[in-house]
PDB file of all heavy atoms in Angstrom:
ATOM      1  N   LEU A1116      98.364  82.803 119.984  1.00  0.00           N
ATOM      2  CA  LEU A1116      98.398  83.057 118.548  1.00  0.00           C
ATOM      3  C   LEU A1116      99.587  82.336 117.947  1.00  0.00           C
ATOM      4  O   LEU A1116     100.689  82.349 118.511  1.00  0.00           O
ATOM      5  CB  LEU A1116      98.495  84.551 118.246  1.00  0.00           C
ATOM      6  CG  LEU A1116      97.372  85.445 118.772  1.00  0.00           C
ATOM      7  CD1 LEU A1116      97.614  86.874 118.418  1.00  0.00           C
ATOM      8  CD2 LEU A1116      96.021  84.979 118.232  1.00  0.00           C
ATOM      9  N   LYS A1117      99.343  81.708 116.808  1.00  0.00           N
ATOM     10  CA  LYS A1117     100.408  80.972 116.125  1.00  0.00           C
ATOM     11  C   LYS A1117     101.273  81.935 115.359  1.00  0.00           C
ATOM     12  O   LYS A1117     100.756  82.774 114.579  1.00  0.00           O
ATOM     13  CB  LYS A1117      99.830  79.915 115.193  1.00  0.00           C
ATOM     14  CG  LYS A1117      99.074  78.800 115.912  1.00  0.00           C
ATOM     15  CD  LYS A1117      98.622  77.708 114.985  1.00  0.00           C
ATOM     16  CE  LYS A1117      97.563  78.215 114.010  1.00  0.00           C
ATOM     17  NZ  LYS A1117      97.107  77.117 113.123  1.00  0.00           N
ATOM     18  N   LEU A1118     102.570  81.873 115.550  1.00  0.00           N
ATOM     19  CA  LEU A1118     103.501  82.823 114.956  1.00  0.00           C
ATOM     20  C   LEU A1118     104.527  82.124 114.057  1.00  0.00           C
ATOM     21  O   LEU A1118     105.062  81.076 114.398  1.00  0.00           O
ATOM     22  CB  LEU A1118     104.223  83.643 116.040  1.00  0.00           C
ATOM     23  CG  LEU A1118     105.196  84.704 115.567  1.00  0.00           C
ATOM     24  CD1 LEU A1118     105.061  85.934 116.453  1.00  0.00           C
ATOM     25  CD2 LEU A1118     106.633  84.209 115.577  1.00  0.00           C
ATOM     26  N   TYR A1119     104.764  82.733 112.894  1.00  0.00           N
ATOM     27  CA  TYR A1119     105.767  82.225 111.949  1.00  0.00           C
ATOM     28  C   TYR A1119     106.790  83.323 111.693  1.00  0.00           C
ATOM     29  O   TYR A1119     106.421  84.513 111.605  1.00  0.00           O
ATOM     30  CB  TYR A1119     105.076  81.816 110.652  1.00  0.00           C
ATOM     31  CG  TYR A1119     105.974  81.105 109.666  1.00  0.00           C
ATOM     32  CD1 TYR A1119     106.024  79.690 109.688  1.00  0.00           C
ATOM     33  CD2 TYR A1119     106.701  81.762 108.700  1.00  0.00           C
ATOM     34  CE1 TYR A1119     106.831  79.000 108.786  1.00  0.00           C
ATOM     35  CE2 TYR A1119     107.492  81.085 107.812  1.00  0.00           C
ATOM     36  CZ  TYR A1119     107.544  79.724 107.842  1.00  0.00           C
ATOM     37  OH  TYR A1119     108.364  79.028 106.926  1.00  0.00           O
ATOM     38  N   ILE A1120     108.065  82.964 111.554  1.00  0.00           N
ATOM     39  CA  ILE A1120     109.123  83.953 111.320  1.00  0.00           C
ATOM     40  C   ILE A1120     109.774  83.689 109.982  1.00  0.00           C
ATOM     41  O   ILE A1120     110.214  82.561 109.671  1.00  0.00           O
ATOM     42  CB  ILE A1120     110.189  83.894 112.428  1.00  0.00           C
ATOM     43  CG1 ILE A1120     109.553  84.145 113.811  1.00  0.00           C
ATOM     44  CG2 ILE A1120     111.281  84.942 112.177  1.00  0.00           C
ATOM     45  CD1 ILE A1120     110.524  83.971 114.975  1.00  0.00           C
ATOM     46  N   LEU A1121     109.883  84.745 109.185  1.00  0.00           N
ATOM     47  CA  LEU A1121     110.566  84.687 107.889  1.00  0.00           C
ATOM     48  C   LEU A1121     111.766  85.624 107.958  1.00  0.00           C
ATOM     49  O   LEU A1121     111.597  86.843 107.836  1.00  0.00           O
ATOM     50  CB  LEU A1121     109.615  85.075 106.755  1.00  0.00           C
ATOM     51  CG  LEU A1121     110.181  85.127 105.347  1.00  0.00           C
ATOM     52  CD1 LEU A1121     110.792  83.797 104.947  1.00  0.00           C
ATOM     53  CD2 LEU A1121     109.084  85.494 104.327  1.00  0.00           C
ATOM     54  N   GLU A1122     112.927  85.072 108.158  1.00  0.00           N
ATOM     55  CA  GLU A1122     114.168  85.900 108.371  1.00  0.00           C
ATOM     56  C   GLU A1122     115.384  85.056 107.974  1.00  0.00           C
ATOM     57  O   GLU A1122     115.526  83.919 108.409  1.00  0.00           O
ATOM     58  CB  GLU A1122     114.242  86.328 109.856  1.00  0.00           C
ATOM     59  CG  GLU A1122     115.543  86.985 110.239  1.00  0.00           C
ATOM     60  CD  GLU A1122     115.828  88.240 109.431  1.00  0.00           C
ATOM     61  OE1 GLU A1122     115.050  89.189 109.528  1.00  0.00           O
ATOM     62  OE2 GLU A1122     116.863  88.240 108.705  1.00  0.00           O
ATOM     63  N   ASP A1123     116.235  85.630 107.113  1.00  0.00           N
ATOM     64  CA  ASP A1123     117.365  84.861 106.620  1.00  0.00           C
ATOM     65  C   ASP A1123     118.692  85.164 107.329  1.00  0.00           C
ATOM     66  O   ASP A1123     119.714  84.532 107.021  1.00  0.00           O
ATOM     67  CB  ASP A1123     117.528  85.015 105.091  1.00  0.00           C
ATOM     68  CG  ASP A1123     117.737  86.478 104.700  1.00  0.00           C
ATOM     69  OD1 ASP A1123     117.793  87.353 105.565  1.00  0.00           O
ATOM     70  OD2 ASP A1123     117.828  86.743 103.468  1.00  0.00           O
ATOM     71  N   GLU A1124     118.695  86.115 108.254  1.00  0.00           N
ATOM     72  CA  GLU A1124     119.917  86.369 109.016  1.00  0.00           C
ATOM     73  C   GLU A1124     119.831  85.563 110.306  1.00  0.00           C
ATOM     74  O   GLU A1124     118.974  85.818 111.172  1.00  0.00           O
ATOM     75  CB  GLU A1124     120.044  87.855 109.320  1.00  0.00           C
ATOM     76  CG  GLU A1124     120.251  88.720 108.091  1.00  0.00           C
ATOM     77  CD  GLU A1124     120.491  90.185 108.436  1.00  0.00           C
ATOM     78  OE1 GLU A1124     121.337  90.441 109.348  1.00  0.00           O
ATOM     79  OE2 GLU A1124     119.828  91.048 107.862  1.00  0.00           O
ATOM     80  N   VAL A1125     120.734  84.612 110.482  1.00  0.00           N
ATOM     81  CA  VAL A1125     120.694  83.663 111.611  1.00  0.00           C
ATOM     82  C   VAL A1125     120.740  84.404 112.931  1.00  0.00           C
ATOM     83  O   VAL A1125     120.021  84.078 113.878  1.00  0.00           O
ATOM     84  CB  VAL A1125     121.855  82.648 111.493  1.00  0.00           C
ATOM     85  CG1 VAL A1125     121.849  81.741 112.743  1.00  0.00           C
ATOM     86  CG2 VAL A1125     121.706  81.826 110.229  1.00  0.00           C
ATOM     87  N   ARG A1126     121.599  85.393 113.028  1.00  0.00           N
ATOM     88  CA  ARG A1126     121.726  86.122 114.290  1.00  0.00           C
ATOM     89  C   ARG A1126     120.442  86.792 114.687  1.00  0.00           C
ATOM     90  O   ARG A1126     120.012  86.755 115.840  1.00  0.00           O
ATOM     91  CB  ARG A1126     122.843  87.176 114.150  1.00  0.00           C
ATOM     92  CG  ARG A1126     123.025  88.057 115.386  1.00  0.00           C
ATOM     93  CD  ARG A1126     124.153  89.072 115.107  1.00  0.00           C
ATOM     94  NE  ARG A1126     123.944  89.816 113.901  1.00  0.00           N
ATOM     95  CZ  ARG A1126     123.179  90.899 113.833  1.00  0.00           C
ATOM     96  NH1 ARG A1126     122.540  91.320 114.919  1.00  0.00           N
ATOM     97  NH2 ARG A1126     123.034  91.549 112.699  1.00  0.00           N
ATOM     98  N   ILE A1127     119.779  87.420 113.716  1.00  0.00           N
ATOM     99  CA  ILE A1127     118.517  88.105 114.006  1.00  0.00           C
ATOM    100  C   ILE A1127     117.405  87.070 114.310  1.00  0.00           C
ATOM    101  O   ILE A1127     116.598  87.285 115.199  1.00  0.00           O
ATOM    102  CB  ILE A1127     118.115  88.976 112.789  1.00  0.00           C
ATOM    103  CG1 ILE A1127     119.107  90.116 112.646  1.00  0.00           C
ATOM    104  CG2 ILE A1127     116.702  89.516 112.972  1.00  0.00           C
ATOM    105  CD1 ILE A1127     118.817  91.003 111.439  1.00  0.00           C
ATOM    106  N   LEU A1128     117.412  85.958 113.583  1.00  0.00           N
ATOM    107  CA  LEU A1128     116.420  84.903 113.848  1.00  0.00           C
ATOM    108  C   LEU A1128     116.513  84.416 115.289  1.00  0.00           C
ATOM    109  O   LEU A1128     115.517  84.274 115.978  1.00  0.00           O
ATOM    110  CB  LEU A1128     116.614  83.741 112.872  1.00  0.00           C
ATOM    111  CG  LEU A1128     115.743  82.534 113.109  1.00  0.00           C
ATOM    112  CD1 LEU A1128     114.263  82.877 113.003  1.00  0.00           C
ATOM    113  CD2 LEU A1128     116.108  81.399 112.153  1.00  0.00           C
ATOM    114  N   LYS A1129     117.739  84.152 115.757  1.00  0.00           N
ATOM    115  CA  LYS A1129     117.932  83.680 117.126  1.00  0.00           C
ATOM    116  C   LYS A1129     117.430  84.726 118.122  1.00  0.00           C
ATOM    117  O   LYS A1129     116.822  84.377 119.148  1.00  0.00           O
ATOM    118  CB  LYS A1129     119.408  83.363 117.367  1.00  0.00           C
ATOM    119  CG  LYS A1129     119.914  82.120 116.659  1.00  0.00           C
ATOM    120  CD  LYS A1129     121.398  81.862 116.959  1.00  0.00           C
ATOM    121  CE  LYS A1129     121.854  80.594 116.276  1.00  0.00           C
ATOM    122  NZ  LYS A1129     123.305  80.336 116.552  1.00  0.00           N
ATOM    123  N   HIS A1130     117.693  85.990 117.839  1.00  0.00           N
ATOM    124  CA  HIS A1130     117.258  87.071 118.726  1.00  0.00           C
ATOM    125  C   HIS A1130     115.719  87.100 118.782  1.00  0.00           C
ATOM    126  O   HIS A1130     115.126  87.233 119.855  1.00  0.00           O
ATOM    127  CB  HIS A1130     117.816  88.371 118.204  1.00  0.00           C
ATOM    128  CG  HIS A1130     117.427  89.579 119.032  1.00  0.00           C
ATOM    129  ND1 HIS A1130     117.685  89.684 120.388  1.00  0.00           N
ATOM    130  CD2 HIS A1130     116.771  90.729 118.686  1.00  0.00           C
ATOM    131  CE1 HIS A1130     117.205  90.846 120.847  1.00  0.00           C
ATOM    132  NE2 HIS A1130     116.650  91.483 119.835  1.00  0.00           N
ATOM    133  N   LEU A1131     115.087  86.968 117.623  1.00  0.00           N
ATOM    134  CA  LEU A1131     113.622  86.974 117.569  1.00  0.00           C
ATOM    135  C   LEU A1131     113.032  85.795 118.340  1.00  0.00           C
ATOM    136  O   LEU A1131     112.067  85.965 119.106  1.00  0.00           O
ATOM    137  CB  LEU A1131     113.151  86.927 116.104  1.00  0.00           C
ATOM    138  CG  LEU A1131     113.433  88.181 115.254  1.00  0.00           C
ATOM    139  CD1 LEU A1131     113.119  87.923 113.790  1.00  0.00           C
ATOM    140  CD2 LEU A1131     112.631  89.357 115.762  1.00  0.00           C
ATOM    141  N   LEU A1132     113.598  84.632 118.114  1.00  0.00           N
ATOM    142  CA  LEU A1132     113.100  83.427 118.823  1.00  0.00           C
ATOM    143  C   LEU A1132     113.223  83.589 120.333  1.00  0.00           C
ATOM    144  O   LEU A1132     112.313  83.220 121.074  1.00  0.00           O
ATOM    145  CB  LEU A1132     113.863  82.191 118.339  1.00  0.00           C
ATOM    146  CG  LEU A1132     113.530  81.684 116.920  1.00  0.00           C
ATOM    147  CD1 LEU A1132     114.504  80.637 116.491  1.00  0.00           C
ATOM    148  CD2 LEU A1132     112.099  81.150 116.868  1.00  0.00           C
ATOM    149  N   GLN A1133     114.301  84.160 120.763  1.00  0.00           N
ATOM    150  CA  GLN A1133     114.500  84.368 122.200  1.00  0.00           C
ATOM    151  C   GLN A1133     113.424  85.281 122.769  1.00  0.00           C
ATOM    152  O   GLN A1133     112.884  85.049 123.872  1.00  0.00           O
ATOM    153  CB  GLN A1133     115.897  84.973 122.446  1.00  0.00           C
ATOM    154  CG  GLN A1133     116.199  85.166 123.930  1.00  0.00           C
ATOM    155  CD  GLN A1133     117.581  85.754 124.131  1.00  0.00           C
ATOM    156  OE1 GLN A1133     118.280  86.095 123.197  1.00  0.00           O
ATOM    157  NE2 GLN A1133     118.014  85.866 125.390  1.00  0.00           N
ATOM    158  N   ILE A1134     113.079  86.331 122.024  1.00  0.00           N
ATOM    159  CA  ILE A1134     112.081  87.299 122.507  1.00  0.00           C
ATOM    160  C   ILE A1134     110.692  86.637 122.511  1.00  0.00           C
ATOM    161  O   ILE A1134     109.973  86.697 123.509  1.00  0.00           O
ATOM    162  CB  ILE A1134     112.081  88.544 121.602  1.00  0.00           C
ATOM    163  CG1 ILE A1134     113.391  89.282 121.729  1.00  0.00           C
ATOM    164  CG2 ILE A1134     110.911  89.461 121.991  1.00  0.00           C
ATOM    165  CD1 ILE A1134     113.543  90.449 120.735  1.00  0.00           C
ATOM    166  N   VAL A1135     110.287  86.050 121.385  1.00  0.00           N
ATOM    167  CA  VAL A1135     108.909  85.586 121.259  1.00  0.00           C
ATOM    168  C   VAL A1135     108.630  84.351 122.088  1.00  0.00           C
ATOM    169  O   VAL A1135     107.485  84.093 122.509  1.00  0.00           O
ATOM    170  CB  VAL A1135     108.559  85.341 119.781  1.00  0.00           C
ATOM    171  CG1 VAL A1135     108.685  86.630 118.978  1.00  0.00           C
ATOM    172  CG2 VAL A1135     109.394  84.224 119.159  1.00  0.00           C
ATOM    173  N   GLN A1136     109.647  83.533 122.343  1.00  0.00           N
ATOM    174  CA  GLN A1136     109.400  82.326 123.136  1.00  0.00           C
ATOM    175  C   GLN A1136     109.091  82.674 124.596  1.00  0.00           C
ATOM    176  O   GLN A1136     108.565  81.811 125.314  1.00  0.00           O
ATOM    177  CB  GLN A1136     110.605  81.402 123.023  1.00  0.00           C
ATOM    178  CG  GLN A1136     110.684  80.700 121.665  1.00  0.00           C
ATOM    179  CD  GLN A1136     111.970  79.918 121.483  1.00  0.00           C
ATOM    180  OE1 GLN A1136     112.895  80.030 122.239  1.00  0.00           O
ATOM    181  NE2 GLN A1136     111.977  79.082 120.433  1.00  0.00           N
ATOM    182  N   GLU A1137     109.382  83.879 125.016  1.00  0.00           N
ATOM    183  CA  GLU A1137     109.051  84.305 126.396  1.00  0.00           C
ATOM    184  C   GLU A1137     107.726  84.988 126.451  1.00  0.00           C
ATOM    185  O   GLU A1137     107.275  85.387 127.520  1.00  0.00           O
ATOM    186  CB  GLU A1137     110.160  85.240 126.897  1.00  0.00           C
ATOM    187  CG  GLU A1137     111.526  84.593 127.000  1.00  0.00           C
ATOM    188  CD  GLU A1137     112.607  85.594 127.411  1.00  0.00           C
ATOM    189  OE1 GLU A1137     112.274  86.795 127.555  1.00  0.00           O
ATOM    190  OE2 GLU A1137     113.772  85.177 127.566  1.00  0.00           O
ATOM    191  N   ASN A1138     107.050  85.127 125.312  1.00  0.00           N
ATOM    192  CA  ASN A1138     105.760  85.821 125.248  1.00  0.00           C
ATOM    193  C   ASN A1138     104.631  84.794 125.468  1.00  0.00           C
ATOM    194  O   ASN A1138     104.509  83.839 124.680  1.00  0.00           O
ATOM    195  CB  ASN A1138     105.592  86.540 123.912  1.00  0.00           C
ATOM    196  CG  ASN A1138     104.390  87.498 123.924  1.00  0.00           C
ATOM    197  OD1 ASN A1138     103.292  87.081 124.226  1.00  0.00           O
ATOM    198  ND2 ASN A1138     104.637  88.748 123.552  1.00  0.00           N
ATOM    199  N   PRO A1139     103.779  84.990 126.482  1.00  0.00           N
ATOM    200  CA  PRO A1139     102.740  83.992 126.756  1.00  0.00           C
ATOM    201  C   PRO A1139     101.595  83.984 125.722  1.00  0.00           C
ATOM    202  O   PRO A1139     100.809  83.068 125.685  1.00  0.00           O
ATOM    203  CB  PRO A1139     102.222  84.428 128.133  1.00  0.00           C
ATOM    204  CG  PRO A1139     102.484  85.910 128.191  1.00  0.00           C
ATOM    205  CD  PRO A1139     103.770  86.115 127.465  1.00  0.00           C
ATOM    206  N   TYR A1140     101.552  85.042 124.865  1.00  0.00           N
ATOM    207  CA  TYR A1140     100.451  85.167 123.917  1.00  0.00           C
ATOM    208  C   TYR A1140     100.710  84.401 122.621  1.00  0.00           C
ATOM    209  O   TYR A1140      99.792  84.262 121.816  1.00  0.00           O
ATOM    210  CB  TYR A1140     100.199  86.645 123.573  1.00  0.00           C
ATOM    211  CG  TYR A1140      99.853  87.499 124.755  1.00  0.00           C
ATOM    212  CD1 TYR A1140     100.434  88.744 124.922  1.00  0.00           C
ATOM    213  CD2 TYR A1140      98.948  87.075 125.744  1.00  0.00           C
ATOM    214  CE1 TYR A1140     100.128  89.562 126.021  1.00  0.00           C
ATOM    215  CE2 TYR A1140      98.631  87.857 126.802  1.00  0.00           C
ATOM    216  CZ  TYR A1140      99.244  89.100 126.952  1.00  0.00           C
ATOM    217  OH  TYR A1140      98.907  89.885 128.040  1.00  0.00           O
ATOM    218  N   VAL A1141     101.948  84.034 122.376  1.00  0.00           N
ATOM    219  CA  VAL A1141     102.263  83.456 121.059  1.00  0.00           C
ATOM    220  C   VAL A1141     102.954  82.095 121.153  1.00  0.00           C
ATOM    221  O   VAL A1141     103.602  81.768 122.151  1.00  0.00           O
ATOM    222  CB  VAL A1141     103.167  84.381 120.238  1.00  0.00           C
ATOM    223  CG1 VAL A1141     102.525  85.740 120.000  1.00  0.00           C
ATOM    224  CG2 VAL A1141     104.532  84.546 120.883  1.00  0.00           C
ATOM    225  N   GLN A1142     102.739  81.278 120.103  1.00  0.00           N
ATOM    226  CA  GLN A1142     103.380  79.995 119.995  1.00  0.00           C
ATOM    227  C   GLN A1142     104.077  79.980 118.623  1.00  0.00           C
ATOM    228  O   GLN A1142     103.423  80.113 117.603  1.00  0.00           O
ATOM    229  CB  GLN A1142     102.370  78.874 120.062  1.00  0.00           C
ATOM    230  CG  GLN A1142     102.929  77.490 119.770  1.00  0.00           C
ATOM    231  CD  GLN A1142     101.853  76.443 119.522  1.00  0.00           C
ATOM    232  OE1 GLN A1142     100.657  76.781 119.538  1.00  0.00           O
ATOM    233  NE2 GLN A1142     102.259  75.224 119.327  1.00  0.00           N
ATOM    234  N   VAL A1143     105.369  79.757 118.605  1.00  0.00           N
ATOM    235  CA  VAL A1143     106.114  79.716 117.361  1.00  0.00           C
ATOM    236  C   VAL A1143     105.823  78.369 116.693  1.00  0.00           C
ATOM    237  O   VAL A1143     106.108  77.298 117.239  1.00  0.00           O
ATOM    238  CB  VAL A1143     107.627  79.888 117.590  1.00  0.00           C
ATOM    239  CG1 VAL A1143     108.379  79.782 116.272  1.00  0.00           C
ATOM    240  CG2 VAL A1143     107.926  81.197 118.279  1.00  0.00           C
ATOM    241  N   VAL A1144     105.262  78.446 115.472  1.00  0.00           N
ATOM    242  CA  VAL A1144     104.918  77.221 114.738  1.00  0.00           C
ATOM    243  C   VAL A1144     105.888  76.900 113.621  1.00  0.00           C
ATOM    244  O   VAL A1144     105.840  75.809 113.013  1.00  0.00           O
ATOM    245  CB  VAL A1144     103.486  77.269 114.180  1.00  0.00           C
ATOM    246  CG1 VAL A1144     102.481  77.312 115.320  1.00  0.00           C
ATOM    247  CG2 VAL A1144     103.311  78.469 113.233  1.00  0.00           C
TER     248      VAL A1144
END
């Protein structure tokens, strides 16, 4: 599934990217 993130706090964005990039079901677009 294609995933998009809308988040303006850099620290939280990095944390989210770290989590979702390890998930085999999603692709960050």
Side-chain angles (χ1 to χ4, degrees):
L1116 300 180
K1117 295 186 293 183
L1118 182 141
Y1119 188 91
I1120 302 175
L1121 178 56
E1122 171 59 63
D1123 59 3
E1124 295 185 48
V1125 176
R1126 176 180 55 83
I1127 294 177
L1128 174 62
K1129 289 181 178 179
H1130 180 57
L1131 291 171
L1132 287 170
Q1133 182 180 6
I1134 295 172
V1135 299
Q1136 285 172 350
E1137 296 176 358
N1138 191 306
Y1140 302 135
V1141 301
Q1142 173 193 4
V1143 179
V1144 295

